[in-house]
């Protein structure tokens, strides 16, 4: 078993295959949304009553604690000590809960698109092989996979640009959303325009996305950048490019749901079980060559839904490898902000 550290400063071991070329050639989620401050717990402000004399009871405790700043509850004051022959004072009641903080104002920076980096997915998943096809990230119930993926996008964006406070959406289709109806990735992301972390244009509008490569800045459309504005083909410029372009979408070339079989969207992005015949659709964040493997939304199917990272160029998913990274990738996906 080989262990090798990549430039992302994360050890990749076990089933990870590391190499170069192209696919045929070549903290737990935050409890408060960005911009909100977490509520602190205030202790009771009043002390207990002093003990009585000559058999009299103690006085009652002080008043309850003050309200928390973002929805937490203050603790009540303690009871008074018992006097000689008297009973202890009663405890103060708990303070009422404070109101939640208001959402932050979205940044005016144009940052509104990225490919989730391998380093970020490994870190957030707590798994050296990434999330696989289960992107629910603690969410439960109908639409959990999409909500979880959106949350992953939001956390990664906030890490790259603290205080951006934008609404982020994963570019993923699903057979059933929260209302039980099919979801198309292209319908989730707003009208555009979208820019990378360094302010370069990815596309002006939906029509600009529904092409083999997005109709944006020529410096980035053939190597779509990660959350730090770095081309995903060579996330560390000091090292050779790697085969990592397979990017989960579950969509056809127009960004619409590619199939009505939930097995082909990893049970709508809630399953990381790798099994034969379950093969989610992926696009290429960078083309295999000038005339092959160009489609950024829908190029071929992944090996499966299991967690897995494969950075070798080996001509597509290998037989028996039922992971999202089997054909050259790590289970990355695209993130778009509704706020350009």
């Amino acid at each position: 078993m080989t262990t090798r550290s990549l430039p992302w400063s994360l050890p990749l071991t076990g089933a990870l295959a590391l190499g170069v070329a192209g696919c045929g050639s070549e903290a737990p989620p935050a409890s408060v949304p960005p911009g909100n401050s977490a509520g602190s717990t205030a202790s009771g402000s009043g002390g207990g009553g002093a003990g009585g004399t000559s058999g009299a009871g103690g006085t009652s405790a002080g008043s309850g604690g003050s309200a928390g700043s973002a929805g937490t509850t203050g603790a009540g004051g303690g009871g008074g000590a018992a006097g000689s022959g008297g009973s202890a004072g009663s405890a103060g009641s708990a303070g009422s809960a404070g109101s939640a903080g208001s959402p932050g104002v979205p940044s005016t920076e144009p940052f509104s698109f990225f490919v989730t980096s391998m380093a970020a997915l490994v870190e957030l998943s707590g798994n050296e092989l990434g999330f696989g096809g289960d992107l629910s990230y603690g969410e439960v119930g109908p639409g959990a996979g999409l909500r979880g993926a959106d949350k992953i996008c939001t956390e990664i964006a906030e890490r790259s640009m603290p205080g951006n406070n934008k609404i982020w959406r994963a570019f993923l289709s699903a057979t059933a959303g929260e209302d039980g109806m099919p979801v198309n990735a292209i319908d989730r992301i707003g009208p555009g325009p979208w820019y990378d972390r360094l302010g370069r244009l990815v596309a002006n509008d939906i029509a600009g996305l529904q092409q083999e490569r997005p109709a944006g800045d020529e410096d980035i459309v053939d190597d779509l950048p990660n959350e730090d504005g770095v081309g995903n083909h060579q996330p560390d410029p000091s090292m050779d490019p790697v085969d990592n372009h397979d990017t989960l979408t579950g969509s056809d070339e127009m960004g619409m749901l590619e199939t009505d079989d939930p097995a082909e969207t990893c049970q709508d992005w809630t399953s990381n079980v790798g099994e034969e015949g379950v093969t989610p659709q992926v696009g290429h964040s960078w083309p295999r060559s000038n005339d092959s493997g160009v489609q950024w939304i829908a190029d071929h199917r992944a090996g499966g839904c299991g967690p897995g990272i494969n950075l070798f160029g080996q001509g597509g998913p290998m037989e028996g490898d039922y992971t999202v990274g089997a054909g050259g990738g790590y289970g990355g996906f695209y993130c778009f902000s509704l706020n350009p």
Side-chain angles (χ1 to χ4, degrees), residues 301-312:
R301 292 184 177 277
C305 295
I309 293 174
N310 181 3
L311 306 182
F312 273 121

Side-chain angles (χ1 to χ4, degrees), residues 29-88:
S31 59
V32 181
N36 293 1
S37 59
S40 58
T41 301
S43 60
S45 58
T53 59
S54 302
T59 62
S60 62
S63 61
S66 60
S69 60
T72 58
T73 304
S84 173
S87 59

Side-chain angles (χ1 to χ4, degrees), residues 252-325:
D252 65 16
E253 294 181 358
M254 302 301 285
M256 309 291 282
L257 177 65
E258 195 261 344
T259 174
D260 60 3
D261 182 357
E264 303 300 336
T265 58
C266 300
Q267 298 299 324
D268 290 337
W269 315 112
T270 62
S271 172
N272 61 5
V273 176
E275 57 184 322
E276 185 174 6
V278 179
T279 53
Q281 185 78 307
V282 299
H284 280 173
S285 63
W286 46 268
R288 180 185 302 116
S289 65
N290 290 335
D291 57 1
S292 175
V294 176
Q295 239 296 329
W296 77 278
I297 301 177
D299 192 84
H300 61 84
R301 292 184 177 277
C305 295
I309 293 174
N310 181 3
L311 306 182
F312 273 121
Q314 57 188 18
M318 300 297 287
E319 185 177 355
D321 186 347
Y322 306 131
T323 70
V324 292

Side-chain angles (χ1 to χ4, degrees), residues 87-305:
S87 59
S90 59
S93 59
S96 59
S99 59
S102 58
V105 177
S107 167
T108 57
E109 292 287 341
F111 177 36
S112 45
F113 169 87
F114 61 92
V115 184
T116 56
S117 70
M118 185 177 76
L121 295 186
V122 168
E123 183 176 356
L124 291 183
S125 68
N127 183 351
E128 62 183 9
L129 300 180
F131 285 98
D134 182 0
L135 304 174
S136 55
Y137 200 38
E139 295 293 309
V140 296
L146 292 178
R147 288 198 310 276
D150 293 345
K151 188 160 62 173
I152 292 169
C153 287
T154 301
E155 288 198 23
I156 294 175
E158 182 66 16
R159 288 171 176 226
S160 178
M161 182 181 285
N164 78 88
N165 297 326
K166 295 187 175 184
I167 300 172
W168 290 89
R169 294 289 181 262
F171 190 82
L172 295 168
S173 294
T175 63
E178 293 187 62
D179 60 0
M181 300 299 293
V183 178
N184 300 309
I186 202 72
D187 297 333
R188 307 192 74 235
I189 60 174
W194 303 276
Y195 301 86
D196 84 326
R197 178 66 176 77
L198 303 182
R200 296 169 294 188
L201 180 68
V202 176
N204 272 312
D205 50 29
I206 294 295
L209 294 178
Q210 292 176 320
Q211 305 183 31
E212 280 193 331
R213 305 303 302 174
D217 192 314
E218 62 182 11
D219 290 338
I220 63 172
V221 295
D222 285 336
D223 191 2
L224 294 171
N226 64 25
E227 64 269 16
D228 296 320
V230 178
N232 207 43
H233 193 191
Q234 194 173 7
D236 186 332
S238 70
M239 296 188 68
D240 291 332
V242 291
D243 185 359
N244 64 359
H245 56 185
D246 285 0
T247 309
L248 297 169
T249 67
S251 308
D252 65 16
E253 294 181 358
M254 302 301 285
M256 309 291 282
L257 177 65
E258 195 261 344
T259 174
D260 60 3
D261 182 357
E264 303 300 336
T265 58
C266 300
Q267 298 299 324
D268 290 337
W269 315 112
T270 62
S271 172
N272 61 5
V273 176
E275 57 184 322
E276 185 174 6
V278 179
T279 53
Q281 185 78 307
V282 299
H284 280 173
S285 63
W286 46 268
R288 180 185 302 116
S289 65
N290 290 335
D291 57 1
S292 175
V294 176
Q295 239 296 329
W296 77 278
I297 301 177
D299 192 84
H300 61 84
R301 292 184 177 277
C305 295

